[in-house]
Amino acid sequence: MNETLSLLMNHRSIRKFSDKEVTREQLERIIAAGQMASTSSNVQAYSVIAVTDFEQKRALSALSGNQSYIEKCPVFLVWCADLYRLQKVSEAHLGDQPGYADSVENFIVATVDAALAAQNAAIAAESMGLGIVYIGGVRNHIAQFSERLNLPEQVYPVFGMCIGYPDQNPGIRPRLPLEGVLHHGVYDASKTVEAVQAYDDTYTEYMRARSGGKSASAWSQVMAKRLSEPVRLHMMDFLQSKGLMKR
């Protein structure tokens, strides 16, 4: 296994950070590495907001489910799908032609672009000895969160990312068996379900060890609970209010 594969296979989410600062140079290299990710048709439809001010981090934490590591990490990155930039720079060239920045397809392109760039940045950060954790809670109160960051129309926060030097050494969370994820030629529906049976046992043991015996839920049970909860049903109305996903 080479150094890159070793880094990828040892990813852990870090939720406790030391007081050591992340330098401006490190941050810029991390974002530059993110920019080198693949991007659909070179649209580069994303922006990143780096938050280091404690009061701003505290306010954003409160809007994201009071996750304390947002306040305590040296740098909190907010990864945004950004079609505003494309819309504005295209106006002079489009003339009377209609623009379709508000289409579902362009929404998907921008969201995927942001995710690809963010994962590149995550690996870059880990290669420097830093740790990261993604924060989906930025979408809990997404309208207030966006207002706090002064996000214009056609921009929305996809997720946050805490970055800093780890002050913990958590175990590696097991993933689904490869045979349940990798299909050859066509999708094998029976195989993907069968793989979960074995994974449930692995996941149960992992949770039992991680919680000191307090939790031993199977993965399928956890996912069933997740699917039964009406999570962030405000997203469609919010996105359309920002001029996204209209056609």
Side-chain angles (χ1 to χ4, degrees):
M1 185 177 293
N2 63 40
E3 185 177 349
T4 302
L5 285 174
S6 179
L7 182 67
L8 290 166
M9 298 302 290
N10 282 281
H11 166 73
R12 283 87 50 84
S13 291
I14 299 298
R15 294 178 173 85
K16 186 177 181 183
F17 301 93
S18 74
D19 294 332
K20 186 175 180 180
E21 291 186 2
V22 175
T23 68
R24 186 182 185 90
E25 181 182 22
Q26 286 176 308
L27 175 60
E28 290 178 352
R29 286 183 177 179
I30 288 167
I31 301 304
Q35 287 186 273
M36 294 309 296
S38 297
T39 168
S40 179
S41 301
N42 199 34
V43 297
Q44 303 174 74
Y46 60 89
S47 292
V48 192
I49 300 173
V51 183
T52 55
D53 177 75
F54 177 76
E55 291 302 325
Q56 180 75 321
K57 287 190 293 182
R58 183 162 65 176
L60 296 176
S61 174
L63 292 169
S64 304
N66 293 307
Q67 300 183 64
S68 62
Y69 25 93
I70 296 176
E71 297 178 36
K72 296 177 180 177
C73 69
V75 181
F76 181 54
L77 300 180
V78 182
W79 293 87
C80 301
D82 184 352
L83 290 163
Y84 171 84
R85 178 169 57 238
L86 294 178
Q87 176 70 25
K88 287 300 177 183
V89 301
S90 297
E91 286 175 353
H93 303 285
L94 287 173
D96 294 331
Q97 297 179 60
Y100 294 94
D102 59 357
S103 72
V104 172
E105 170 62 14
N106 280 320
F107 167 81
I108 293 171
V109 165
T111 302
V112 172
D113 263 18
L116 292 174
Q119 187 59 16
N120 250 35
I123 300 306
E126 291 178 345
S127 77
M128 298 177 184
L130 299 165
I132 70 101
V133 63
Y134 284 97
I135 308 293
V138 304
R139 302 188 301 277
N140 286 358
H141 301 284
I142 194 166
Q144 298 96 312
F145 193 96
S146 298
E147 184 177 354
R148 184 84 193 188
L149 293 175
N150 197 33
L151 300 185
E153 282 209 345
Q154 297 180 327
V155 179
Y156 88 97
V158 185
F159 43 69
M161 179 190 288
C162 296
I163 293 184
Y165 284 92
D167 192 27
Q168 62 177 176
N169 187 27
I172 299 173
R173 189 186 295 266
R175 298 302 201 237
L176 284 161
L178 184 64
E179 57 269 23
V181 175
L182 176 62
H183 302 262
H184 295 279
V186 295
Y187 190 98
D188 187 338
S190 62
K191 184 179 70 171
T192 199
V193 173
E194 289 172 0
V196 173
Q197 297 173 353
Y199 183 59
D200 271 348
D201 294 336
T202 301
Y203 192 83
T204 297
E205 289 304 313
Y206 165 79
M207 290 303 298
R208 184 178 289 115
R210 177 177 175 173
S211 67
K214 296 179 181 179
S215 175
S217 298
W219 182 77
S220 59
Q221 290 176 298
V222 176
M223 293 303 106
K225 182 177 184 300
R226 178 175 175 78
L227 288 181
S228 70
E229 297 172 346
V231 178
R232 301 175 189 137
L233 297 185
H234 55 264
M235 284 298 300
M236 178 65 78
D237 287 342
F238 169 78
L239 290 170
Q240 291 184 341
S241 77
K242 297 290 281 186
L244 299 166
M245 291 189 69
K246 289 192 169 183
R247 47 183 159 171

